[in-house]
């Protein structure tokens, strides 16, 4: 198998919108965006041997995401999520349980791929299931692990979140998630910056990033803060915006780009995705650069 620089781990599924279905799952969305940015990406997940699973394979082939680490389940169905949007385009989710991605197994090819990668990206939803044991084994092998926090009640506990945060080199929250977790961890502070520093001291993560919706994001690294105040767009839906943000941020960090420029580009990508339908619109580097730095 060709060497893969970045490995994403977790759910791939169908987001069922009122107007139809679109392929999704936060780790898959991150993998797609990383691929579009020119990275060599591997994706570890599990799909059913059903019609929806075959459609996922077709979509992955069309997008170009590497399928070498994809697993197949003859018993559990391919995952689906019902998505509803409010008047602002913000999404809420109903996530079906005991589906194929809940049962991702530990395979030698995956262990080797993670050990040889530059980055390993995972989310919090996977911790709800048997696949959490697989994640734990892979984290030990990861040279640089990125925890994409996606709090979906009731599929998390403070103890599981804390364990994953302490295993990660980089953590990404949205602002609501940061406030919730900081409070549960006993933070005595009130501001976003103070909460962020408090969590960094507990976890010892090298990077912590917080997205703030239309108000941009902030990044904390080596005792320094980086800020972006956001980009105004007409939102169609927010599905995948945070995932594309994270992919752009990681891509820039691995390329050792200037961190302020990297944060600006990540916020720009998130805004462009929010202005598009679905989680995985095809947005080129040229479009992104023109949006962030218009001439």
């Amino acid at each position: 198998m060709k060497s893969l620089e970045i490995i994403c781990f977790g759910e791939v599924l169908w987001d069922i919108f009122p107007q139809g279905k679109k392929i999704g799952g936060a780790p898959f969305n991150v993998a797609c965006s990383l691929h579009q940015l020119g990275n060599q990406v591997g994706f570890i997940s599990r799909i059913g041997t059903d019609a929806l699973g075959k459609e996922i394979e077709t979509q992955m082939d069309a997008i170009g995401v590497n399928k070498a680490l994809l697993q197949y389940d003859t018993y559990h169905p391919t995952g689906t999520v019902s998505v509803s949007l409010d008047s602002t385009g913000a999404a809420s989710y109903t996530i079906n349980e005991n589906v194929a991605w809940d049962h991702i197994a530990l395979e030698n090819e995956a262990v080797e791929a993670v050990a040889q990668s530059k980055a390993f990206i995972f989310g919090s939803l996977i911790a709800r299931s048997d696949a959490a044991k697989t994640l734990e084994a892979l984290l030990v092998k990861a040279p640089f692990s990125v925890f994409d926090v996606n709090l979906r009640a009731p599929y998390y506990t403070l103890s599981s979140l804390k364990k994953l945060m302490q295993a990660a080199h980089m953590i990404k929250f949205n602002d609501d998630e940061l406030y919730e977790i900081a409070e549960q961890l006993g933070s005595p502070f009130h501001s976003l910056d103070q909460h962020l520093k408090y969590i960094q001291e507990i976890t010892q993560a090298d990077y912590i990033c917080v997205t703030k919706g239309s108000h941009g994001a902030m990044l904390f690294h080596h005792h320094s803060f980086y800020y972006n105040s956001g980009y105004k767009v007409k939102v169609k839906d927010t599905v995948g915006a945070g995932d594309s943000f994270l992919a752009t941020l990681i891509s820039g960090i691995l390329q050792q780009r200037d961190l302020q420029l990297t944060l600006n580009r990540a916020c720009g990508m998130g805004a462009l995705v929010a202005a598009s339908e679905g989680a995985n619109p095809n947005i080129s580097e040229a479009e992104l650069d023109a949006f962030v730095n218009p001439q």
Side-chain angles (χ1 to χ4, degrees):
M1 182 173 64
K2 186 177 180 180
S3 178
L4 300 167
E5 293 184 345
I6 306 172
I7 306 295
C8 297
F9 175 90
E11 64 272 16
V12 61
L13 45 82
W14 288 103
D15 287 321
I16 311 298
F17 292 85
Q19 67 271 28
K21 68 180 188 295
K22 292 183 180 294
I23 194 169
F28 179 74
N29 296 339
V30 174
C32 287
S33 192
L34 283 165
H35 172 74
Q36 290 177 5
L37 290 167
N39 297 283
Q40 295 295 322
V41 185
F43 181 59
I44 304 172
S45 191
R46 193 174 181 93
I47 58 174
T49 53
D50 48 22
L52 290 177
K54 289 182 174 64
E55 287 188 76
I56 282 178
E57 284 195 274
T58 301
Q59 288 282 323
M60 290 180 70
D61 286 336
I63 295 168
V65 174
N66 190 299
K67 297 189 305 183
L69 301 175
L70 190 63
Q71 301 175 14
Y72 301 90
D73 196 312
T74 58
Y75 182 74
H76 299 97
T78 299
T80 56
V81 173
S82 297
V83 184
S84 60
L85 304 174
D86 65 17
S87 59
T88 69
S92 58
Y93 308 89
T94 302
I95 307 169
N96 289 326
E97 300 183 30
N98 199 26
V99 294
W101 61 260
D102 283 311
H103 302 277
I104 302 171
L106 185 64
E107 297 183 342
N108 290 335
E109 294 85 352
V111 173
E112 293 173 7
V114 170
Q116 295 171 11
S117 70
K118 292 182 179 178
F120 174 65
I121 305 166
F122 64 98
S124 51
L125 185 56
I126 202 72
R128 78 177 188 174
S129 63
D130 292 344
K133 297 176 183 176
T134 301
L135 172 59
E136 186 176 343
L138 293 174
L139 278 170
V140 175
K141 301 293 184 179
F144 181 72
S145 55
V146 180
F147 182 20
D148 182 16
V149 178
N150 284 292
L151 299 187
R152 300 285 183 260
Y155 301 120
Y156 63 91
T157 64
L158 178 61
S159 61
S160 66
L161 292 173
K162 187 174 180 180
K163 184 176 181 180
L164 292 174
M165 288 191 295
Q166 290 178 327
H169 300 93
M170 177 175 175
I171 308 169
K172 176 243 175 189
F173 307 89
N174 66 33
D175 48 358
D176 290 335
E177 290 165 342
L178 178 69
Y179 281 122
E180 178 179 337
I181 292 173
E183 181 180 355
Q184 291 189 33
L185 288 172
S187 173
F189 303 110
H190 302 286
S191 77
L192 209 62
D193 297 36
Q194 290 172 316
H195 283 321
L196 194 152
K197 285 183 178 180
Y198 181 82
I199 289 176
Q200 194 280 329
E201 290 174 2
I202 291 174
T203 64
Q204 295 298 301
D206 294 328
Y207 298 84
I208 298 184
C209 184
V210 183
T211 59
K212 301 186 289 181
S214 63
H215 300 292
M218 56 192 295
L219 176 67
F220 187 60
H221 175 59
H222 287 173
H223 307 290
S224 295
F225 281 101
Y226 301 84
Y227 298 91
N228 177 282
S229 58
Y231 300 95
K232 186 174 179 59
V233 296
K234 185 175 181 180
V235 175
K236 289 191 175 179
D237 69 64
T238 59
V239 180
D243 305 324
S244 62
F245 166 92
L246 179 61
T248 309
L249 186 67
I250 293 169
S251 188
I253 288 172
L254 293 181
Q255 294 169 23
Q256 298 183 323
R257 290 188 176 191
D258 175 80
L259 285 181
Q260 184 62 60
L261 172 62
T262 294
L263 184 64
N264 294 345
R265 296 179 84 252
C267 289
M269 182 65 85
L272 288 171
V273 171
S276 307
E277 289 185 358
N280 298 299
N282 189 8
I283 296 168
S284 69
E285 290 259 15
E287 289 176 280
L288 174 60
D289 289 335
F291 179 76
V292 173
N293 296 300
Q295 300 299 318

